[in-house]
Amino acid sequence: QSSQFDFGFHQYDAYRFTLKNMRYYKTNTPFTQVAFNIGNKKEQNIDIILAQNFKKNINVGLDFRILKSPGYLLHQKTANSNFYIYTQYHSTDKRYVFLINYINNRFKYEESGGIYNKEILYSNDVSSPNQYIFNLSGSNKVYKESCIQIKQTYTPFKYKYNPKDSTNNSKNFKYYLGTISHDITFNKFSEQYFDYNPMSMIYYNRFDSSRTLDSTHYYHLQNTLSLTNINSINSKPFLFYKLSYSYSIIKIHQSDT
């Protein structure tokens, strides 16, 4: 488990692309996968995966997906979009690896503020969604996240490379001391709440009768240097270890009107 600073934005974890759940593809020919699903009430889900190798040691890829739903009741519309792009290079002997990744996540959904005419919940006729009146009619919440990572790894061990063997069997290696890794990652988060019809009595002491805004912005720059054999291709290392030094710069900004 990471001991780094955690701002607490985990409500979208099931839908986000992250550095941990990214997938890298190595293909002999260009690869394309397109998935399109339609659900109830005009729900739409699109997922597009593209990957291609330029030479044997350079590959690029893209994963893009959209999830939209108008919701069953009024003011329940959601629109999610996510994508990541990556490029990867490794030396002929696979001792040096260079990675660049970019991730973008965006979630937008309407806020209703709850049902105003609660007595309708006890009615026997609630078949029409238009019967419900909500406290809010023009409010939205938008969550944005972007991440860029530049990572280099170098493995200082003697290596017997067999191009016909794709199993990476430990017999191909004389000894393994560990992998040196240098990682620079910049993350930018923002969560914004808008309401362009803030005349509801749900707000108190409002400053602007034309709109209300509440936003949080979070920036995180991290520089990490490490040496580890945890991801060792040697199936039976004498000792698992990880030495790491990390330096972080964090900035948080909040505003409201």
Side-chain angles (χ1 to χ4, degrees), residues 160-198:
K160 294 180 179 179
Y161 177 60
N162 182 0
K164 297 182 180 180
D165 183 7
S166 61
T167 62
N168 285 333
N169 193 305
S170 60
K171 294 180 180 179
N172 293 330
F173 300 85
K174 288 186 176 180
Y175 58 83
Y176 179 69
L177 299 179
T179 298
I180 302 172
S181 175
H182 180 226
D183 183 351
I184 298 178
T185 304
F186 176 73
N187 293 277
K188 178 182 178 182
F189 304 86
S190 68
E191 188 171 50
Q192 297 175 304
Y193 173 80
F194 303 91
D195 194 338
Y196 291 97
N197 185 26

Side-chain angles (χ1 to χ4, degrees), residues 103-247:
I103 301 175
N104 187 279
N105 296 300
R106 186 179 188 272
F107 306 94
K108 181 179 180 180
Y109 57 94
E110 293 182 317
E111 291 277 8
S112 66
I115 298 176
Y116 177 77
N117 54 336
K118 299 181 180 61
E119 62 277 1
I120 199 173
L121 296 175
Y122 304 98
S123 172
N124 294 326
D125 184 16
V126 291
S127 58
S128 175
N130 296 326
Q131 298 182 39
Y132 296 94
I133 301 175
F134 295 92
N135 290 307
L136 302 175
S137 60
S139 60
N140 293 273
K141 182 170 282 190
V142 179
Y143 172 87
K144 298 179 182 179
E145 174 189 3
S146 60
C147 171
I148 184 169
Q149 179 194 48
I150 301 175
K151 184 175 183 178
Q152 301 178 79
T153 64
Y154 178 71
T155 307
F157 59 84
K158 292 183 179 180
Y159 182 47
K160 294 180 179 179
Y161 177 60
N162 182 0
K164 297 182 180 180
D165 183 7
S166 61
T167 62
N168 285 333
N169 193 305
S170 60
K171 294 180 180 179
N172 293 330
F173 300 85
K174 288 186 176 180
Y175 58 83
Y176 179 69
L177 299 179
T179 298
I180 302 172
S181 175
H182 180 226
D183 183 351
I184 298 178
T185 304
F186 176 73
N187 293 277
K188 178 182 178 182
F189 304 86
S190 68
E191 188 171 50
Q192 297 175 304
Y193 173 80
F194 303 91
D195 194 338
Y196 291 97
N197 185 26
M199 299 308 293
S200 170
M201 292 305 295
I202 198 172
Y203 299 108
Y204 296 94
N205 299 322
R206 58 180 179 268
F207 300 101
D208 190 342
S209 61
S210 62
R211 70 167 187 168
T212 184
L213 168 66
D214 186 8
S215 65
T216 301
H217 301 270
Y218 165 59
Y219 308 91
H220 185 191
L221 176 64
Q222 182 170 303
N223 188 7
T224 303
L225 182 64
S226 65
L227 173 64
T228 181
N229 71 342
I230 293 178
N231 298 321
S232 172
I233 53 179
N234 185 352
S235 58
K236 296 181 180 179
F238 174 74
L239 175 68
F240 286 107
Y241 70 90
K242 181 176 182 179
L243 304 175
S244 178
Y245 172 80
S246 181
Y247 177 77

